[in-house]
Amino acid sequence: AFVTQKAPWKLGETREVVLTSVRASDQTTIGVLGQNDKVLEYSDVIPKTTWNQKPDGLHIHFFQAQRLRDNRQWSNPVVLKITHATPVEGQIRVETVRGQWDGTSGVARLEGKLIRLGSASEVEAGFEYRDITGLDVSERSGQWLRPRLMRLTATGSFSAEVIGLKSGDAYEFRAITKSSTLTVFGREMEFNAK
């Protein structure tokens, strides 16, 4: 599992993530690649990765014990190695398909696809977007904006139109689905309002 963060991670800080797509077994082991779970430089803290399988997902608590930069901060994703876990059947799955800009009307059309409803009878589906003009990948910390979501009771394609975007700017967007217990995102994609 690749764990990204919006701001660089300070040495010795902890994080917790909840993975809803995998289930731990009695033989499951989890660790942070590049760390040994035993040593945190210049500290008495033992940076042991721990986990607990709960009804809402696999809760993983881990430390940032890598110091590969002079400022003692880690800006790259952290990789969790998970062994002897199984995929959760019946998960909701959504895919981000494409974003297109219509310069004459000033409207962006975002397209997604609900691949699997899982055990839910219906979900709310739609998109989130944010302006990324002039930003590189590590600087994207702007707030995601979410137009009104729509209710879906079956798999298939869906779309939304977004107005009010600034012509000439670059945007990042992703599909989103929400059930009563879970929010699932599609991959992040980009389009230019040109």
Side-chain angles (χ1 to χ4, degrees), residues 11-183:
L11 184 67
E13 281 188 347
T14 63
R15 292 283 191 272
E16 181 172 293
V17 296
V18 179
L19 302 180
T20 59
S21 59
V22 295
R23 184 166 306 284
S25 69
D26 291 341
Q27 291 102 18
T28 295
T29 62
I30 302 176
V32 178
L33 287 185
Q35 296 179 187
N36 64 8
D37 275 1
K38 297 177 184 175
V39 177
L40 178 59
E41 184 180 46
Y42 305 116
S43 173
D44 294 333
V45 173
I46 297 175
K48 179 78 175 147
T49 302
T50 59
W51 62 94
N52 188 5
Q53 183 68 56
K54 295 183 179 180
D56 67 334
L58 178 58
H59 291 246
I60 305 170
H61 184 264
F62 55 99
F63 287 81
Q64 198 308 79
Q66 298 170 329
R67 184 180 69 87
L68 299 179
R69 297 186 179 261
D70 292 338
N71 65 2
R72 301 173 66 88
Q73 295 184 0
W74 183 253
S75 59
N76 299 316
V78 170
V79 181
L80 298 172
K81 180 180 179 182
I82 304 168
T83 65
H84 302 291
T86 57
V88 172
E89 294 298 322
Q91 284 286 30
I92 297 170
R93 184 164 166 234
V94 66
E95 180 180 297
T96 309
V97 176
R98 103 179 100 242
Q100 295 179 311
W101 174 253
D102 182 349
T104 56
S105 66
V107 172
R109 181 179 173 83
L110 307 180
E111 298 176 20
K113 186 172 186 179
L114 180 59
I115 306 293
R116 190 169 49 231
L117 264 169
S119 58
S121 59
E122 71 174 18
V123 295
E124 291 184 289
F127 300 91
E128 291 184 336
Y129 68 93
R130 62 183 174 184
D131 190 333
I132 57 168
T133 306
L135 303 175
D136 76 15
V137 174
S138 63
E139 294 178 309
R140 296 178 184 177
S141 59
Q143 181 179 358
W144 288 97
L145 303 173
R146 184 185 300 169
R148 176 176 282 171
L149 300 177
M150 64 195 85
R151 291 198 180 280
L152 298 178
T153 57
T155 59
S157 299
F158 62 94
S159 64
E161 293 185 343
V162 179
I163 58 173
L165 302 181
K166 188 175 176 186
S167 180
D169 283 0
Y171 292 89
E172 182 175 45
F173 71 102
R174 62 189 179 189
I176 178 176
T177 58
K178 292 180 70 174
S179 69
S180 59
T181 59
L182 187 63
T183 300

